[in-house]
Amino acid sequence: MKILVVNCGSSSLKYQLIDMNDESVIAKGLCERIGIEGSKLTHQPAGKDKYVVENPMPDHTVAIQMVMDALQDKEHGVIENTDEIAAIGHRVLHGGTVYSDSCIVNEDVKRVIRECFDLGPLHNPANLMGIEACEKAMPGKPNVAVWDTAFGMKMPEKAYLYAIPHEYYEKYSIRRYGFHGTSHMFVSGEAIKFGNLDPENAKVIVCHLGNGASVSASIGGKCVDTSMGLTPLEGLIMGTRSGDIDPAVVQFICNKEGKDVNELLNILNKKSGVLGMSGGVSSDFRDIEAAKKEGNHLAEVALDAFIYRVAKYIGAYTAAMNGVDAIAFTAGVGENDKASRKAICEYLGYLGVKIDDEANDVRGKKAVISAEDSKVKVMLIPTNEELAIARDTLALVK
Ligand code: AMP
């Protein structure tokens, strides 16, 4: 059975066609610059050459049609026709407080995605466009919504309610939702299996450290707390997002610079994080590390602050769970950057965390990177959101 996984951004569409018999990726690709001049599809069939098509893509419907054409292309395709695709799994950012378990898309699901446009202004409209494009391209095929907020929706009230007047939760569902949920769920589950931990009671902290970054705490795979909030802006220092700051900073800068709140939120989302802290060096952690090596003080501070913030969250979440059995690193920085992993773990000596430098000299594959006598198992677990989405989709349509 083949499942197509679709992840739509406002001007992009990522896809993977997965054979669920052995969970192998048959083809994957990316549509870029949808709705903008210079649209391009890059299609990568497994074991064959990359195939690039440069054609205007005015909207997601055209993009999906181009994906369908590439998948069925005589030379570069991997399927005879779309009958081979059993269902389509979509990453959907926000289901508000209504939906959190993955579900087959119907009119009510689409209504909720639409009602949550203001909770996920960049992603929800694109996610809905992707679903509607697939409905048009493959009428009658089941589309499944897998919510990025699902993991965080299991948090207890004390973790998800903000200390603001309760009426705002009642009126507008203002709460901590948490994001990267599919990744946190997948990685915590894999960490329990790979680390031979108790599936019911294991206390796991997942550090998803990429351009967007978040930490979660879970017991037996159930989320206890997570660092992103109502939006992905809260929590860690990220590539371009500030993470936690005193909300009064917003008012202060607005008054001083004559900006409105929307402008400032844009700055906190897109011009802050290590990009902002480093004085504009880059949002890419590799560039920040290179600048630090060349003696750039602000780049060094940005990297130190990023690591320090991760370590603070690990400490807080260890307290929240009254212990921790395993810490798992994932995503671009977490999977590739041994120096950051080591630097974070150096803060955790009080927990009995000990890194094995040789074991930590690894990239992009599952590994235990802590020493034999470490009190906490530290692991590298590559995330695979597409596979997690495909598994949920299969479970619903089988
Ligand atoms: P992601 O958002 O998960 O794709 O992660 C992207 C981030 O991972 C970028 O900021 C990259 O600079 C970072 N990254 C990838 N490889 C490395 C590496 N070897 N060392 C440091 N950062 C890396």
Side-chain angles (χ1 to χ4, degrees):
M1 195 181 254
K2 296 178 182 108
I3 303 280
L4 180 66
V5 176
V6 172
N7 181 356
C8 284
S10 51
S11 65
S12 69
L13 185 159
K14 282 194 260 178
Y15 64 94
Q16 280 193 10
L17 185 64
I18 301 180
D19 184 344
M20 296 310 287
N21 293 325
D22 59 0
E23 297 191 332
S24 62
V25 178
I26 310 168
K28 62 181 177 181
L30 169 69
C31 300
E32 293 167 277
R33 301 180 66 84
I34 299 170
I36 309 170
E37 214 179 304
S39 318
K40 175 167 101 171
L41 163 78
T42 308
H43 175 71
Q44 177 67 70
K48 293 189 198 170
D49 287 342
K50 202 179 265 181
Y51 170 52
V52 178
V53 190
E54 289 184 29
N55 249 349
M57 287 182 223
D59 55 34
H60 288 71
T61 305
V62 177
I64 276 288
Q65 198 48 59
M66 281 176 64
V67 172
M68 293 298 122
D69 292 345
L71 289 171
Q72 298 169 82
D73 187 81
K74 285 251 161 352
E75 207 178 321
H76 309 279
V78 288
I79 53 172
E80 290 282 318
N81 58 58
T82 54
D83 289 347
E84 289 181 45
I85 300 174
I88 306 109
H90 296 263
R91 173 180 183 249
V92 184
L93 187 81
H94 230 301
T97 53
V98 184
Y99 284 110
S100 57
D101 290 338
S102 301
C103 56
I104 294 185
V105 174
N106 57 23
E107 287 310 310
D108 193 59
V109 172
K110 288 199 274 181
R111 174 186 63 81
V112 170
I113 297 174
R114 210 171 285 118
E115 280 175 10
C116 293
F117 276 5
D118 55 356
L119 286 172
L122 295 180
H123 294 85
N124 266 39
N127 300 152
L128 186 60
M129 281 192 273
I131 288 171
E132 290 180 333
C134 287
E135 286 175 336
K136 266 194 214 150
M138 289 170 281
K141 279 260 162 184
N143 286 277
V144 168
V146 179
W147 312 92
D148 208 37
T149 46
F151 189 66
M153 291 302 283
K154 304 279 190 298
M155 270 182 283
E157 275 177 313
K158 65 183 175 189
Y160 75 67
L161 283 179
Y162 288 116
I164 57 175
H166 193 66
E167 64 184 279
Y168 297 125
Y169 174 67
E170 285 168 356
K171 278 203 272 191
Y172 310 119
S173 307
I174 304 283
R175 52 162 281 174
R176 174 183 310 286
Y177 288 93
F179 298 88
H180 295 143
T182 310
S183 174
H184 284 288
M185 199 176 320
F186 179 83
V187 173
S188 57
E190 293 292 306
I192 288 173
K193 280 191 249 161
F194 189 64
N196 263 327
L197 306 174
D198 174 358
E200 301 294 320
N201 301 301
K203 297 170 176 174
V204 178
I205 294 177
V206 173
C207 304
H208 178 114
L209 309 179
N211 224 325
S214 58
V215 190
S216 71
S218 60
I219 301 182
K222 187 168 169 236
C223 181
V224 167
D225 209 337
T226 188
S227 61
M228 284 176 165
L230 173 73
T231 76
L233 183 55
E234 194 178 348
L236 299 181
I237 295 172
M238 312 183 206
T240 62
R241 296 191 191 113
S242 64
D244 301 334
I245 58 163
D246 179 347
V249 169
V250 174
Q251 182 203 32
F252 196 93
I253 298 178
C254 282
N255 289 345
K256 290 282 181 198
E257 301 260 320
K259 293 189 192 303
D260 68 22
V261 173
N262 292 328
E263 281 175 279
L264 207 68
L265 262 281
N266 197 40
I267 291 170
L268 294 179
N269 269 302
K270 299 195 178 145
K271 297 191 174 155
S272 301
V274 293
L275 169 70
M277 271 192 95
S278 65
V281 168
S282 174
S283 62
D284 191 301
F285 282 85
R286 282 165 295 199
D287 299 338
I288 297 286
E289 281 179 15
K292 174 189 160 178
K293 279 194 189 119
E294 281 163 17
N296 184 318
H297 175 65
L298 289 183
E300 182 176 356
V301 176
L303 202 56
D304 284 351
F306 165 75
I307 284 159
Y308 175 65
R309 180 86 54 93
V310 179
K312 280 211 296 190
Y313 265 95
I314 293 174
Y317 286 174
T318 303
M321 296 192 288
N322 194 9
V324 57
D325 297 310
I327 298 168
F329 288 99
T330 197
V333 178
E335 290 173 31
N336 294 299
D337 186 9
K338 62 180 178 184
S340 289
R341 291 193 297 260
K342 186 173 159 88
I344 292 163
C345 289
E346 274 170 358
Y347 279 99
L348 308 175
Y350 71 101
L351 291 175
V353 168
K354 273 193 212 163
I355 288 293
D356 177 331
D357 284 336
E358 217 172 288
N360 187 35
D361 192 7
V362 62
R363 288 178 70 161
K365 62 174 190 194
K366 274 188 212 163
V368 173
I369 58 169
S370 47
E372 283 273 311
D373 61 342
S374 176
K375 289 211 179 97
V376 179
K377 247 184 197 158
V378 184
M379 292 179 245
L380 189 170
I381 305 281
T383 192
N384 193 339
E385 290 163 277
E386 288 78 11
L387 180 57
I389 291 171
R391 282 179 183 168
D392 269 22
T393 304
L394 178 69
L396 279 164
V397 300
K398 210 153 66 170

